[in-house]
Amino acid sequence: MTSARLAALSLAAALLAGCGIAGSADEAGTGLENQVCQQEDVPAGFRRQTAGDLTPHNLADLGPGPDQRLRQLAAAGLRRGHFAYWKENIGTPPFDPPLDIVCQVLEFDSAPAAAAFVQSMRPDPADLSTRTLTWLPEGSRTVFEAPSTLEPPARAFAIRAEDTQTSVDISALVVPDGRYVRTVYLGGNGRRGTIVDAAQVQQRMSARLK
């Protein structure tokens, strides 16, 4: 698996095409489907495009030194994951570019392993690209940690990446919950969703999973 350099119109389209791990919207998966956002968790006007499982190999292959990174992910206790990709429906022109939502869950060996994974995240493109399922255009990349509207240990990041063909702006909110780590990405080509919007999706998921 390689992260292909594609001229993407959205974060998630590039992510799924580049990773080559997308499944159908009705794919059965490995039992983690309930841990990612469902229709009731996302804002009105979003439609699920696809979903699928992911492995530590998938994440390791997204960054440099995949063999070394795979060993690090194994040492961190990462077992498996799942994602779902949602796209905003748009009306007739003129309209703003559609937003994308990617919800990802990673399962770890234990709750302490999941919490440590989130705590050790650094606001760096190379680090985030192999910790969470984020495909970033090659070229100019900036990441900074943003204030989270959720209590720690939740963490929020603002990501911008662009090359000669595309530019993406993403707000990401990462929340550990027991042995799971759930991430909500919200943004797209030339348009960023807010951390507040991502937090609302996280809060709906958390309430549903209690």
Side-chain angles (χ1 to χ4, degrees):
M1 185 192 74
T2 60
S3 53
R5 297 178 61 187
L6 302 176
L9 295 180
S10 65
L11 159 70
L15 180 158
L16 299 172
C19 294
I21 59 175
S24 70
D26 298 320
E27 183 175 342
T30 57
L32 294 178
E33 302 83 356
N34 196 49
Q35 293 285 337
V36 296
C37 49
Q38 309 294 310
Q39 188 70 63
E40 61 265 37
D41 303 325
V42 300
F46 279 78
R47 178 177 296 180
R48 190 170 71 164
Q49 302 296 301
T50 190
D53 296 326
L54 60 102
T55 69
H57 287 86
N58 295 139
L59 291 180
D61 283 349
L62 288 173
D67 291 340
Q68 178 183 4
R69 188 57 185 147
L70 182 60
R71 290 191 293 271
Q72 292 171 341
L73 292 172
L78 176 61
R79 298 175 59 189
R80 57 180 183 160
H82 192 81
F83 71 91
Y85 160 42
W86 300 74
K87 178 173 282 292
E88 185 180 23
N89 293 326
I90 55 177
T92 57
F95 45 72
D96 292 329
L99 285 171
D100 296 326
I101 295 175
V102 177
C103 294
Q104 173 194 282
V105 62
L106 299 178
E107 183 181 13
F108 290 81
D109 291 334
S110 66
F117 185 82
V118 175
Q119 185 177 18
S120 64
M121 291 177 122
R122 293 182 291 111
D124 174 80
D127 187 66
L128 290 181
S129 69
T130 56
R131 287 179 179 267
T132 52
L133 190 60
T134 305
W135 185 91
L136 298 176
E138 294 186 11
S140 174
R141 299 177 177 184
T142 58
V143 179
F144 66 89
E145 185 152 8
S148 172
T149 59
L150 301 183
E151 293 295 323
R155 298 184 68 185
F157 299 93
I159 305 166
R160 180 175 176 82
E162 57 186 339
D163 57 21
T164 58
Q165 297 174 310
T166 189
S167 172
V168 294
D169 288 278
I170 310 153
S171 292
L173 187 60
V174 189
V175 177
D177 182 11
R179 69 179 187 274
Y180 301 109
V181 172
R182 288 191 291 271
T183 304
V184 172
Y185 302 98
L186 185 59
N189 183 39
R191 185 180 172 202
R192 184 197 299 274
T194 69
I195 296 297
V196 172
D197 294 333
Q200 290 175 348
V201 176
Q202 287 278 18
Q203 288 171 319
R204 292 187 193 108
M205 281 196 293
S206 296
R208 174 174 54 80
L209 291 166
K210 283 183 180 179

